[in-house]
Amino acid sequence: MRRFFLVDYENVSDGGLHGFFDLTGDDTVALFYTQNANKISIDFFEIAMRSDTAAHIAFIKVNPGNQALDLQLASYLGALMASAEDDCAFYIVSKDKGFQCLIPFWGAHHGGTPLYHVRSIEEAIQPGGAKPAEVKPARAARPQPKPAPQPPKQPEKTPEPQPETDPAPQPAPVVEGKAPETTATPVKPKKAAKAKSLSAASAGKAAANNMVQQVLSKAKVDSPDIAFMASLVSKHTGQDKMKQTVYRATIAKFGQKRGLEIYNLVKSLLK
C-alpha cells in the first residue's frame, strides 16, 4: 500500500517527523512550511537525502495569509485523493483539530480511500496508532433512525352466535327469605396486553437513560454531552442496528476522536 503523509510543519515542527526513517521508498511525505517555520535539522535533511530506502519527501512553501497553510494543504490533499489508486492511504500530520472535518467529507465523497489525522508520522505507523476503526469514513448520508416498533394490537373477540336450539336461560327459582343468585360475567379490560408491552418498553428506555448517565458521569463527561448521549441511547433502545445508529450520531455530534471516546464508554450498554 502506498502511503502519503501531509505534514503541517508550522504546527508540529520536528516532532511531527518522528518515525520518518521507519518509512519505505513506497511512501511519500509532503512537508508544508511557511516563512515562520522554515528551519529543519541538518542531520535529518542529510540522512533523508542519502538514504536509499527513505520515503520520498517534497518541501512545499506556503504563501503567507490567514489560514493559508491549512487551505493549501487541504487543496493538495484533494488533488491527490482524486487521482489516487485503490491501494493508497493518506495521513494529515497536525495537531490542528480543524482538519477533523475533512475525514467525514472525504468519507462521503471518496469512501474507498482511508484518511487519517495524526500528530506525527510515528503515531501513524506504530502498532495501535492510527486504527481504521477510529477514522472510518462517514457514509454519504446518515440513515434516518427507524421508528420504535409498536406492540401488535390485540384483536377484539367477536362473540360466537348461539345455536338456535339452545334454550333460553331460565331465571333461578326464588326461595322465600333468600335473594336470587345472579351470575356475573367478568369483563376483561380492553387493550391490557398493549398497555403492558408499552410499560415494559418505557421501563427499558428509562433504565438505559439512567445507565448512560451513570457511566458518563463517572468518566467526568460534561453535563450537556451526558444529556445528549442519554437521550440518544434511550431513543434507540430496542431497535435494530442500534449500535450503528448510536455510533454514527455520536461521531456526527462530537467529531471523530472525541466521538469515539464517548462511544466506547457506552458501547457495552448498547444491547
Side-chain angles (χ1 to χ4, degrees), residues 10 24 32 35 49 54 61 80 103 125 127 136 141-142 162 164 174 193 197 203 211 232 242 255 262 264 266:
E10 186 177 53
T24 69
F32 291 79
Q35 62 184 10
M49 293 300 101
K61 186 174 182 179
L80 283 178
I103 294 176
I125 63 177
K136 183 178 180 181
R142 187 177 61 185
Q162 296 294 328
E164 296 181 358
V174 178
S197 179
M211 292 174 67
L232 176 65
M242 175 185 178
I262 294 178
N264 284 336
V266 302

Side-chain angles (χ1 to χ4, degrees), residues 230-248:
S231 176
L232 176 65
V233 173
S234 174
K235 179 180 178 181
H236 298 289
T237 295
Q239 296 184 13
D240 294 337
K241 299 183 179 180
M242 175 185 178
K243 288 186 177 181
Q244 294 92 325
T245 302
V246 172
Y247 171 82
R248 292 168 185 157

